[in-house]
Amino acid sequence: MELDETEARKKADDIISRIWAERNHQIIEIMNGLMIEDRMMNRMRIFSETLLHNFFRMLWPYFGLHKYIMHEHLDSFTVEGICISCKTDLVTRDRSGMLVISDWKTTRSIDIDKENLQLNVYAIWGSDHFGDDVEKIKTQTVNLRTGEINQHLPTKQSIEIVKQKILLETERMKDSNEATFEAIPTIEKCYSCRFLNKCGEGKKSIEYSANQTYALNVIDGD
Ligand code: SF4
C-alpha cells in the first residue's frame, strides 16, 4: 500500500494528539506507572513532534518510494526450537522488491555490535515470516534525529554466527542465574521494560531520570 504524504502526516498528527489527550493513561501506564512532571510531559511532546517533523523532512523522500507492509509488529520465530520474540519498527519493500526492515533510533551514539546482532535477528525473522532469502533482506537503523540510515546486509555467515550465539546464550541462561547477565540500561527501554521490577540497574536508571538530568539529556541530544 502506497501512502500519500499529506494523509500520512495527518494520521501521525492525529495519533500524537490522541496520545496527548489521553496522556495520563497512554504515557504513564506505558512507563510502568511512573509519574511524570508536566514539564517533562511537555518536553516529550515537543520531542516526538520534532522527530515526526524530521521523519517527513528527511526520510519520507526515501520511504515514500517503498511499499508499506507493517509497523510495530510483535512476532516470534524459533531457532533450533528456541522461541525468539522480536518487534520490528517498520517493514517495507523497496522498488527492487527487497524486504527492508528498519529500526528507529533516537540517540546519537549507538553500539555497532549490538545493532548488528539485533538487525541479524530481524533478518532471521524476516526470512522466516516472508520466505525471503536472508541475503535478499536489507536491515537498517534509521536515526530520527539526524536522518542517517545505516544499512546492514545480512549474509548467511553472519546469520549463522547469530544463531550460534542464540544457542550459546540459551545454554548459559539455563546454567546460571540472572545476576550473571550484564544489564544494559537505556532510559527509553527501561521505562517500559517488563523486567524493571526485578532489575536493579534498570531501577537505578529510572531513579536517575526522575532527577530529570538523564532523561532531558536523552531528549536534548545524547
Ligand atoms: S530494566 Fe533492566 S532488563 Fe529492562 S531494559 Fe532496563 S536494564 Fe535491561
Side-chain angles (χ1 to χ4, degrees), residues 62-63 65-71 88-104 119 122-123 125-126 130 132-134 136-142 149-154:
Y62 168 78
F63 283 110
L65 300 174
H66 286 206
K67 185 176 168 217
Y68 167 82
I69 299 178
M70 55 179 64
H71 72 283
T88 46
D89 286 338
L90 178 67
V91 184
T92 54
R93 272 198 196 277
D94 69 13
R95 285 186 148 181
S96 71
M98 260 185 125
L99 192 69
V100 183
I101 303 176
S102 300
D103 190 42
W104 306 134
L119 294 176
Y122 289 155
W125 167 79
F130 295 99
D132 291 45
D133 186 306
V134 281
K136 297 265 166 50
I137 295 175
K138 211 187 278 176
T139 54
Q140 58 192 19
T141 56
V142 180
I149 297 177
N150 281 318
Q151 290 187 336
H152 167 86
L153 294 172

Side-chain angles (χ1 to χ4, degrees), residues 34-35 40 185 187 190-191 196-197 199-215:
L34 191 85
M35 292 311 294
M40 179 61 119
I187 198 71
C190 295
Y191 266 136
L196 180 62
N197 281 339
C199 178
E201 291 296 319
K203 281 183 189 162
K204 249 190 258 168
S205 97
I206 295 284
E207 275 163 24
Y208 189 32
S209 81
N211 296 329
Q212 301 204 355
T213 315
Y214 183 64

Side-chain angles (χ1 to χ4, degrees), residues 70-89:
M70 55 179 64
H71 72 283
E72 294 273 319
H73 184 76
L74 180 62
D75 205 351
S76 61
F77 59 94
T78 57
V79 172
E80 306 276 338
I82 298 160
C83 183
I84 312 289
S85 295
C86 69
K87 190 176 185 185
T88 46
D89 286 338

Side-chain angles (χ1 to χ4, degrees), residues 8 20 42-43 50 89 133 172 174 190 193 200 202:
W20 184 250
N42 281 328
R43 298 208 55 162
T50 302
D89 286 338
D133 186 306
R172 271 186 67 209
K174 279 186 198 158
C190 295
C193 176

Side-chain angles (χ1 to χ4, degrees), residues 111-221:
D111 182 324
I112 297 290
D113 287 343
K114 286 195 195 93
E115 289 309 321
N116 285 344
L117 174 67
Q118 186 182 18
L119 294 176
N120 275 313
V121 168
Y122 289 155
I124 302 173
W125 167 79
S127 177
D128 184 78
H129 191 87
F130 295 99
D132 291 45
D133 186 306
V134 281
E135 295 193 335
K136 297 265 166 50
I137 295 175
K138 211 187 278 176
T139 54
Q140 58 192 19
T141 56
V142 180
N143 194 310
L144 294 170
R145 279 176 190 276
T146 62
E148 190 183 356
I149 297 177
N150 281 318
Q151 290 187 336
H152 167 86
L153 294 172
T155 61
K156 291 204 163 50
Q157 194 189 18
S158 69
I159 293 295
E160 198 44 46
I161 291 170
V162 169
K163 285 185 176 174
Q164 290 307 320
K165 192 171 171 55
I166 290 170
L167 297 178
L168 209 69
E169 291 292 311
T170 308
E171 284 309 310
R172 271 186 67 209
M173 282 168 79
K174 279 186 198 158
D175 296 344
S176 56
N177 61 47
E178 61 189 284
T180 62
F181 288 89
E182 183 197 359
I184 307 168
T186 61
I187 198 71
E188 292 148 313
K189 289 196 172 80
C190 295
Y191 266 136
S192 54
C193 176
R194 64 194 171 104
F195 302 111
L196 180 62
N197 281 339
K198 294 183 181 169
C199 178
E201 291 296 319
K203 281 183 189 162
K204 249 190 258 168
S205 97
I206 295 284
E207 275 163 24
Y208 189 32
S209 81
N211 296 329
Q212 301 204 355
T213 315
Y214 183 64
L216 290 178
N217 278 346
V218 168
I219 290 173
D220 287 338

